[in-house]
Amino acid sequence: MYNFDEIIDRSVDKCRKWDYDYVCSRFGTVPRDFIPMWIADMDFKSPPEVIAGLRQIVEHGTFGYTYCFDEFYQAVIDFQAKQHNADIVREWITLTYGTVSTLHYTIQAFCNAGDAILMNTPVYDPFALAAERQKVHVIANPLVAVNQRYQLDFEKLEQQIKEHQPKLYLFCSPHNPSGRIWTASEIRRVSELCQKYQVILVIDEVHAEHILHGTFINALNKGCAHADNLILLTSPNKAFNLGGLKTSYSIIPNEQLRARFRQQLEKNSITSPNMFGVWGLIYAYTQGLDWLKALNSYLAENERYLYEFISERLPTLKMMRSESSYLAWIDVSATGMSAYDFTHQLAHETGVVVEDGTHYVQDGEHYIRINFGTPKALIEQAMARLEDFVQRHSA
């Protein structure tokens, strides 16, 4: 029904992932037949229902100012209930312009210069950038790799909270870059520590829709996180490949936190949606679930192929199983190369462009991140080049 094997010419999109000049500006000169597997942007068309809906808007031909109307709120409420068994009410939902910018507004709303925020590392770099741009200190709580799977160090976590008194704890669930799905008990312990020390828990759930192995636990599920100090950030962008529409939302049950958050948004005139963004969300959430289910099956097969290829043919690389998302986190330390040198030489010599772990705040210096949200044929080509590269440099 859905053809995820279709190879789309994205060089005409002016998208960062596939634009030759942009890639060279980031990684240095790469071969013209490069295969980009870096930024978290899938190479599949969005659901046909979304495309058809947006086509109707284009053909109608008027693109004036809009607002968050009833269908937007109901789409969010119904989607969260169906996908994540989360009961939310309209008043908790606030439109935002993409999760990265929302991290900035959240820190502006609840922190002053000189304050501290906490995050687990390695983690998505905009977490730290959002803090540093507001002159807020980053307290890094290193994740512990046990049998190629990250664990939370709760003893160190509590020690750091007591010592540094962070205003916010930015918690990535599921975790980016490893794809780790946190259990209900882990989220509950995190939430209880935040309650105990009066820290606002900000949970980023943007990767919650691509579940490959296991079960995702939404923070708002009964008996999970406390609602009175919780800010949940999410969007349809990763799930349905709508990142360029820059539309997301927060869910904040506590009225006082919500009012303070919205006041900061108003200071930045974040008050009305992009027309295509709000309708893209509605079409995706109400009509795109069959597509999403099929896509997740395809991604799970890509993940299995990648894991088995690396395990069997590239034993110097160690890949964590990606329980969620379409991103593989791979330890390259046994090659004797730093992640930075590995990624840049790989790009220059073979055209396979991946992320190096130094971009993930800290504790990722020995890792690379590979985006497998792409047709399998491209993954197979990239793995052949990667195997040749590793063999040459191992020799």
Side-chain angles (χ1 to χ4, degrees), residues 121-123 142-143 150 177 329-333 338-340 343 355-369:
T121 53
V123 74
L143 295 169
Y150 279 135
W329 191 236
I330 301 167
D331 185 345
V332 299
S333 57
S338 70
Y340 179 88
T343 55
E355 294 266 23
D356 79 82
T358 59
H359 295 158
Y360 297 89
V361 186
Q362 67 178 55
D363 304 307
E365 295 81 3
H366 302 301
Y367 290 85
I368 64 172
R369 193 187 78 169

CSV table of all heavy atoms in Angstrom, one decimal, residues 121-123 142-143 150 177 329-333 338-340 343 355-369:
chain,number,residue,atom,x,y,z
A,121,THR,N,23.5,12.9,29.5
A,121,THR,CA,24.3,13.0,28.3
A,121,THR,C,24.9,11.6,28.0
A,121,THR,O,25.0,10.7,28.9
A,121,THR,CB,25.5,13.9,28.6
A,121,THR,OG1,26.2,13.5,29.8
A,121,THR,CG2,25.0,15.4,28.7
A,122,PRO,N,25.1,11.3,26.7
A,122,PRO,CA,24.9,12.2,25.5
A,122,PRO,C,23.4,12.5,25.3
A,122,PRO,O,22.6,11.7,25.6
A,122,PRO,CB,25.5,11.5,24.4
A,122,PRO,CG,25.3,10.0,24.8
A,122,PRO,CD,25.5,10.0,26.2
A,123,VAL,N,23.2,13.7,24.7
A,123,VAL,CA,21.8,14.0,24.4
A,123,VAL,C,21.8,15.0,23.2
A,123,VAL,O,22.8,15.7,22.9
A,123,VAL,CB,21.1,14.6,25.6
A,123,VAL,CG1,21.6,16.1,25.9
A,123,VAL,CG2,19.6,14.6,25.5
A,142,PRO,N,25.8,11.9,33.2
A,142,PRO,CA,26.2,10.9,32.2
A,142,PRO,C,25.3,9.6,32.3
A,142,PRO,O,25.2,9.1,33.4
A,142,PRO,CB,27.7,10.6,32.5
A,142,PRO,CG,28.1,11.7,33.4
A,142,PRO,CD,26.9,12.2,34.1
A,143,LEU,N,24.8,9.2,31.2
A,143,LEU,CA,24.2,7.9,31.1
A,143,LEU,C,25.3,6.8,31.2
A,143,LEU,O,26.4,7.0,30.8
A,143,LEU,CB,23.4,7.7,29.9
A,143,LEU,CG,22.2,8.7,29.7
A,143,LEU,CD1,21.6,8.6,28.3
A,143,LEU,CD2,21.1,8.3,30.8
A,150,TYR,N,21.8,2.0,27.6
A,150,TYR,CA,22.0,3.1,28.6
A,150,TYR,C,21.1,2.8,29.8
A,150,TYR,O,19.9,2.4,29.7
A,150,TYR,CB,21.7,4.4,28.0
A,150,TYR,CG,22.8,5.0,27.2
A,150,TYR,CD1,22.6,5.6,25.9
A,150,TYR,CD2,24.1,5.0,27.7
A,150,TYR,CE1,23.6,6.2,25.2
A,150,TYR,CE2,25.1,5.6,26.9
A,150,TYR,CZ,24.9,6.1,25.7
A,150,TYR,OH,25.9,6.7,25.0
A,177,PRO,N,20.4,10.4,21.4
A,177,PRO,CA,20.6,9.6,20.2
A,177,PRO,C,20.4,8.1,20.2
A,177,PRO,O,20.5,7.5,19.2
A,177,PRO,CB,22.0,10.0,19.7
A,177,PRO,CG,22.7,10.1,21.0
A,177,PRO,CD,21.7,10.7,22.0
A,329,TRP,N,23.0,4.3,17.2
A,329,TRP,CA,24.1,4.9,18.0
A,329,TRP,C,25.1,3.8,18.1
A,329,TRP,O,24.9,2.7,18.7
A,329,TRP,CB,23.5,5.3,19.4
A,329,TRP,CG,24.4,6.1,20.3
A,329,TRP,CD1,24.8,5.8,21.5
A,329,TRP,CD2,24.9,7.4,20.0
A,329,TRP,NE1,25.5,6.8,22.1
A,329,TRP,CE2,25.7,7.8,21.2
A,329,TRP,CE3,24.9,8.3,18.9
A,329,TRP,CZ2,26.3,9.0,21.3
A,329,TRP,CZ3,25.6,9.5,19.0
A,329,TRP,CH2,26.2,9.9,20.2
A,330,ILE,N,26.3,4.1,17.6
A,330,ILE,CA,27.3,3.1,17.3
A,330,ILE,C,28.7,3.5,17.9
A,330,ILE,O,29.2,4.6,17.6
A,330,ILE,CB,27.5,2.8,15.8
A,330,ILE,CG1,26.1,2.4,15.3
A,330,ILE,CG2,28.5,1.8,15.5
A,330,ILE,CD1,26.0,2.4,13.7
A,331,ASP,N,29.2,2.6,18.7
A,331,ASP,CA,30.6,2.9,19.4
A,331,ASP,C,31.6,2.5,18.4
A,331,ASP,O,31.7,1.3,17.9
A,331,ASP,CB,30.6,2.0,20.6
A,331,ASP,CG,31.9,2.3,21.4
A,331,ASP,OD1,32.9,2.9,20.9
A,331,ASP,OD2,32.0,1.8,22.6
A,332,VAL,N,32.5,3.4,18.0
A,332,VAL,CA,33.6,3.1,17.1
A,332,VAL,C,35.0,3.2,17.7
A,332,VAL,O,36.0,3.2,17.0
A,332,VAL,CB,33.6,4.2,15.9
A,332,VAL,CG1,32.2,4.1,15.1
A,332,VAL,CG2,33.8,5.6,16.4
A,333,SER,N,35.0,3.2,19.1
A,333,SER,CA,36.3,3.3,19.8
A,333,SER,C,37.3,2.2,19.4
A,333,SER,O,38.5,2.4,19.4
A,333,SER,CB,36.1,3.4,21.3
A,333,SER,OG,35.4,2.3,21.7
A,338,SER,N,38.9,8.5,16.7
A,338,SER,CA,37.9,9.2,17.4
A,338,SER,C,36.6,9.3,16.5
A,338,SER,O,36.7,9.1,15.2
A,338,SER,CB,38.4,10.7,17.7
A,338,SER,OG,38.5,11.4,16.4
A,339,ALA,N,35.5,9.5,17.1
A,339,ALA,CA,34.3,9.6,16.3
A,339,ALA,C,34.4,10.8,15.3
A,339,ALA,O,33.9,10.7,14.1
A,339,ALA,CB,33.1,9.9,17.2
A,340,TYR,N,35.0,11.9,15.7
A,340,TYR,CA,35.2,13.0,14.7
A,340,TYR,C,36.0,12.6,13.5
A,340,TYR,O,35.6,12.9,12.4
A,340,TYR,CB,35.8,14.2,15.5
A,340,TYR,CG,36.0,15.4,14.6
A,340,TYR,CD1,35.1,16.4,14.4
A,340,TYR,CD2,37.2,15.5,13.9
A,340,TYR,CE1,35.3,17.4,13.6
A,340,TYR,CE2,37.5,16.6,13.0
A,340,TYR,CZ,36.5,17.6,12.9
A,340,TYR,OH,36.6,18.7,12.1
A,343,THR,N,34.0,10.0,11.3
A,343,THR,CA,32.9,10.6,10.4
A,343,THR,C,33.5,11.4,9.3
A,343,THR,O,33.0,11.3,8.2
A,343,THR,CB,31.9,11.4,11.3
A,343,THR,OG1,32.6,12.4,12.0
A,343,THR,CG2,31.2,10.5,12.3
A,355,GLU,N,26.6,11.5,11.6
A,355,GLU,CA,26.9,12.4,12.7
A,355,GLU,C,28.0,11.8,13.6
A,355,GLU,O,28.0,10.6,13.8
A,355,GLU,CB,25.7,12.7,13.5
A,355,GLU,CG,24.6,13.4,12.8
A,355,GLU,CD,24.6,14.9,13.0
A,355,GLU,OE1,25.7,15.4,13.3
A,355,GLU,OE2,23.6,15.6,12.8
A,356,ASP,N,28.9,12.7,14.1
A,356,ASP,CA,29.8,12.2,15.2
A,356,ASP,C,29.3,12.6,16.5
A,356,ASP,O,28.6,13.6,16.7
A,356,ASP,CB,31.2,12.6,14.9
A,356,ASP,CG,31.4,14.1,15.4
A,356,ASP,OD1,31.7,14.3,16.6
A,356,ASP,OD2,31.4,15.0,14.5
A,357,GLY,N,29.6,11.8,17.5
A,357,GLY,CA,29.0,11.9,18.9
A,357,GLY,C,29.4,13.1,19.6
A,357,GLY,O,28.8,13.4,20.7
A,358,THR,N,30.4,13.9,19.1
A,358,THR,CA,30.8,15.1,19.9
A,358,THR,C,29.7,16.2,19.8
A,358,THR,O,29.7,17.2,20.5
A,358,THR,CB,32.1,15.7,19.3
A,358,THR,OG1,31.9,16.0,17.9
A,358,THR,CG2,33.2,14.7,19.5
A,359,HIS,N,28.7,16.0,18.9
A,359,HIS,CA,27.6,16.9,18.8
A,359,HIS,C,26.5,16.8,19.9
A,359,HIS,O,25.5,17.5,19.9
A,359,HIS,CB,26.9,16.8,17.4
A,359,HIS,CG,27.8,17.2,16.3
A,359,HIS,ND1,27.6,16.7,15.0
A,359,HIS,CD2,28.9,17.9,16.2
A,359,HIS,CE1,28.5,17.2,14.2
A,359,HIS,NE2,29.3,17.9,14.9
A,360,TYR,N,26.7,15.8,20.8
A,360,TYR,CA,25.6,15.5,21.7
A,360,TYR,C,26.0,15.8,23.1
A,360,TYR,O,25.9,15.0,24.1
A,360,TYR,CB,25.3,14.0,21.5
A,360,TYR,CG,24.7,13.8,20.1
A,360,TYR,CD1,25.6,13.4,19.1
A,360,TYR,CD2,23.4,14.0,19.9
A,360,TYR,CE1,25.1,13.3,17.8
A,360,TYR,CE2,22.9,13.8,18.6
A,360,TYR,CZ,23.7,13.5,17.5
A,360,TYR,OH,23.3,13.4,16.3
A,361,VAL,N,26.4,17.1,23.3
A,361,VAL,CA,26.8,17.7,24.5
A,361,VAL,C,28.1,17.2,25.1
A,361,VAL,O,29.1,17.9,25.2
A,361,VAL,CB,25.6,17.7,25.5
A,361,VAL,CG1,26.0,18.5,26.8
A,361,VAL,CG2,24.3,18.2,24.9
A,362,GLN,N,28.1,16.0,25.6
A,362,GLN,CA,29.3,15.3,26.1
A,362,GLN,C,29.0,13.8,26.2
A,362,GLN,O,27.8,13.4,26.1
A,362,GLN,CB,29.8,15.9,27.4
A,362,GLN,CG,28.9,15.7,28.6
A,362,GLN,CD,29.6,16.2,29.9
A,362,GLN,OE1,29.9,17.4,30.0
A,362,GLN,NE2,29.7,15.4,30.9
A,363,ASP,N,30.0,13.0,26.4
A,363,ASP,CA,29.9,11.6,26.6
A,363,ASP,C,29.6,10.8,25.4
A,363,ASP,O,29.2,9.6,25.4
A,363,ASP,CB,29.0,11.2,27.8
A,363,ASP,CG,29.3,11.9,29.1
A,363,ASP,OD1,30.5,11.8,29.5
A,363,ASP,OD2,28.5,12.6,29.6
A,364,GLY,N,29.7,11.5,24.2
A,364,GLY,CA,29.4,10.8,23.0
A,364,GLY,C,30.6,10.7,22.0
A,364,GLY,O,30.5,10.4,20.9
A,365,GLU,N,31.8,11.0,22.6
A,365,GLU,CA,33.0,11.2,21.8
A,365,GLU,C,33.4,9.9,21.1
A,365,GLU,O,34.2,10.0,20.1
A,365,GLU,CB,34.2,11.7,22.7
A,365,GLU,CG,34.0,13.0,23.3
A,365,GLU,CD,33.1,13.0,24.6
A,365,GLU,OE1,32.6,11.9,25.0
A,365,GLU,OE2,32.8,14.1,25.1
A,366,HIS,N,33.0,8.8,21.5
A,366,HIS,CA,33.4,7.5,20.8
A,366,HIS,C,32.3,6.9,20.0
A,366,HIS,O,32.4,5.8,19.5
A,366,HIS,CB,33.7,6.5,21.9
A,366,HIS,CG,34.9,6.9,22.8
A,366,HIS,ND1,36.1,7.3,22.3
A,366,HIS,CD2,34.9,7.1,24.1
A,366,HIS,CE1,36.9,7.6,23.3
A,366,HIS,NE2,36.2,7.5,24.5
A,367,TYR,N,31.2,7.7,19.7
A,367,TYR,CA,30.1,7.2,19.0
A,367,TYR,C,29.8,8.0,17.7
A,367,TYR,O,30.2,9.1,17.6
A,367,TYR,CB,28.8,7.3,19.9
A,367,TYR,CG,28.8,6.4,21.1
A,367,TYR,CD1,29.4,6.7,22.2
A,367,TYR,CD2,28.2,5.1,21.0
A,367,TYR,CE1,29.4,5.8,23.3
A,367,TYR,CE2,28.1,4.3,22.1
A,367,TYR,CZ,28.8,4.6,23.2
A,367,TYR,OH,28.7,3.8,24.3
A,368,ILE,N,29.1,7.3,16.8
A,368,ILE,CA,28.6,7.9,15.6
A,368,ILE,C,27.1,7.6,15.6
A,368,ILE,O,26.6,6.7,16.2
A,368,ILE,CB,29.2,7.4,14.3
A,368,ILE,CG1,28.9,5.9,14.1
A,368,ILE,CG2,30.7,7.7,14.3
A,368,ILE,CD1,29.3,5.4,12.7
A,369,ARG,N,26.3,8.5,14.9
A,369,ARG,CA,24.9,8.3,14.8
A,369,ARG,C,24.5,8.2,13.3
A,369,ARG,O,24.9,9.0,12.5
A,369,ARG,CB,24.1,9.5,15.4
A,369,ARG,CG,22.6,9.2,15.6
A,369,ARG,CD,21.8,10.4,16.1
A,369,ARG,NE,21.6,11.3,14.9
A,369,ARG,CZ,20.7,12.3,15.0
A,369,ARG,NH1,20.1,12.6,16.1
A,369,ARG,NH2,20.5,13.1,13.9
